[in-house]
Amino acid sequence: MSTQATSTPPAASAPPEPLTGFHLRVTATTFGANFSDGYALGTIGAVLPALSTSMHLSGIWQGLLGSSALIGLFFGSITLGRVADAIGRQKVYLYNFVLIALASAAQLWAHGPGPLFVLRLLIGFGLGADYAVGPTLLSEFAPRRLRGVLLGSLTVLWTVGYVLSNILTSYLPLTDTAAHWLLASGALPALLVLLLRIGIPESPSWLASQGRADEAARIRRRYLGQTSPTAEQATAPTAEPPPAARYGELFARGQAAKTRFGVIFYSAQVLPYFAIYTFMSQILSTLRIDDATAQNLVLNLALLSGGVLGLWPVQRMGRRPFTIGTFAVLTVCLALMAVLSGASGWALMIPFLVYTFVMAGASNITQVYPPELFPTALRGSGVGFLNGTSRVASAVGTFVLPVSLSRLGVGWSMGWMALVLLLGTAVSMAWAPETRDAPTAEDWHH
């Protein structure tokens, strides 16, 4: 079975699909995983010094706890992305946050590294499911003309969660008890997201791909106000549903190049990002900056502003030029930090600040590109696979960076991360497709 799309009618052949309150609701509830992920990663990075003292953590345990949620994200994305293609998006979209809420709350009583590691693996597993299913579901509901900004805004909420955790941990005395309360506080947004997701319907694109066209039409009428097919839906097959897509089709001729590009592009971008911002305080102390708290605040503001302002070029520019351009800027920034590692902390802060601002905007594309690389029948599996493999890279970077900083110093550490970004630049120049106008509904023919 081929998973390639046929040509679609030009956009001018039908009026643009309007943005509805339901679109905004799905977008808002999909924010939950990104906010929770950013909050969880920011919190563990900030409380690790306090936990290291109270739990007597070795460097190995610090690396394991820092990367634990990322490891869980790998297994959740790989496993439940495939499940979502088999049984539908809605069930996974709802029940994964039950796990996240319960495991987050249980961190309050996890006073040893082993139990805390297991709980954070479970949190990551639930978040990984949402990284596979959330953008998939949203991309299948969103109007094509607004897909970039709606999907890109998910990463902005990751930044909001990360910055909020940093602000809280910067101005609270981090005793062992306070550290556990902060970790457990992640259950509150998770519970809110769980309640708001009740009633979100199944993806009509997935239903149509399963031959359940009548159910898909009812959802479109009720939730999207569509009383007649859009230009994309008019090309949808009406015959019996095709056989279920096999996982191996991610690597079949015609799809393999997009899968390969997605893995390398996503991994090269997030490896230095997650590593740097998990161990931000250690990096700032290495830079010999007197007022590290103030600089941390400035960097967090750069993260927020870069993420918000980065939504515009994601929407207006093509995916390919945006990806290549931001990779090139990020590579130069970390290369400058490596070359100038012997300079004053303030001199190093300039490329670090530019890196932070640009990376926040560039990371928006990680929620936009993956759903556009795969057809409906493979989208959950494909998005899950890219998220999972990228989190392996993130976990490796998060585990290696503290060791690298202590043994090699900030210069060499920034140097090898610049090489990772250079790889992303080269691969994007060679393989990045342009998917801004790619269909993500059931105008994919089998």
Side-chain angles (χ1 to χ4, degrees), residues 12 17 23 34 51-53 70 89 119 123 126 129 140 151 174 204 229 235 267 280 290 292 301 310 397 416 427 435:
E17 185 183 348
H23 289 130
N34 298 73
L51 295 178
S52 297
T53 300
L70 299 173
R89 324 302 195 200
L119 288 172
I123 293 169
E140 291 172 352
L151 288 169
L174 284 182
T235 66
S267 299
M280 175 81 83
D290 295 333
L301 291 175
W416 67 257
V427 167
T435 61

Side-chain angles (χ1 to χ4, degrees), residues 76 79-96 129-130 132-134 136-138 140-141 197 200-210 212 215 219 244 376-381:
T79 304
L80 295 182
R82 180 58 179 162
V83 169
D85 278 342
I87 69 171
R89 324 302 195 200
Q90 190 269 344
K91 294 182 180 65
V92 178
Y93 188 71
L94 178 64
Y95 292 115
N96 67 322
D130 217 83
V133 177
T136 296
L137 188 69
L138 178 58
E140 291 172 352
F141 274 120
R197 286 187 174 187
I200 297 290
E202 183 56 82
S203 161
S205 298
W206 182 83
L207 290 170
S209 75
Q210 302 299 303
R212 296 158 65 179
E215 294 177 62
I219 289 174
T376 300
L378 282 172
R379 190 164 297 124
S381 301

